[in-house]
Amino acid sequence: MTTELFYLTLTALLAASLWIPYIVGTNMVVSDPGPDFIRPPDLRERPEWVHRAHRAHLNLLEQFVPFAALILIAHTLNIQSAIIAWCAAIFFWLRVAHAVGMISGLTQFPVRPIIFSAGYIAILVIGFVVMTSG
């Protein structure tokens, strides 16, 4: 397995697991099960960290799709580059830092947007390498 696919796999597992804090937090608040079963609960009625957990999951999914697509395109075209490998590793660890910081509330403005933007830049670099390797 290449480094890029390894970090793609780790990122996919992170994305697949980030719903857990949200569900745990949502279920810690006792409410009438009827309306919550029909419609998800209003996040304003939950602790702040539950809302942040929801946003952390959504933020990861927003960046995961283009990251995964570019890694898979590079792999399919047999484009192997140390830059792609480093960007894949950096992207994963940025996403871990973003999720931990967002859910815990430890990262505030401007740190959280900087982490998100750095992940975006890693995606752009991967895309640039893929586009110029043809």
Side-chain angles (χ1 to χ4, degrees):
M1 177 182 296
T2 65
T3 301
E4 306 90 271
L5 289 179
F6 174 75
Y7 281 106
L8 174 61
T9 302
L10 288 181
T11 308
L13 291 170
L14 178 63
S17 302
L18 267 182
W19 63 272
I20 296 170
Y22 166 74
I23 293 301
V24 168
T26 296
N27 288 313
M28 289 174 64
V29 176
V30 179
S31 62
D32 178 19
D36 286 352
F37 192 74
I38 297 168
R39 180 180 206 132
D42 187 346
L43 288 173
R44 293 173 292 189
E45 298 172 2
R46 301 297 189 249
E48 290 180 8
W49 72 269
V50 175
H51 185 262
R52 291 193 307 266
H54 183 254
R55 288 298 308 152
H57 188 219
L58 293 179
N59 283 167
L60 174 54
L61 295 178
E62 290 167 357
Q63 287 192 328
F64 179 70
V65 172
F67 171 72
L70 288 169
I71 294 296
L72 293 174
I73 290 168
H75 181 72
T76 302
L77 297 175
N78 202 27
I79 299 170
Q80 294 185 339
S81 161
I83 295 172
I84 293 175
W86 274 102
C87 284
I90 289 167
F91 179 81
F92 171 74
W93 290 111
L94 285 169
R95 295 313 311 174
V96 169
H98 186 272
V100 169
M102 185 146 185
I103 294 168
S104 68
L106 293 174
T107 55
Q108 301 292 322
F109 184 81
V111 176
R112 206 167 53 229
I114 289 171
I115 293 171
F116 186 87
S117 298
Y120 174 66
I121 291 168
I123 292 169
L124 290 179
V125 171
I126 293 168
F128 178 78
V129 172
V130 169
M131 295 294 289
T132 58
S133 294

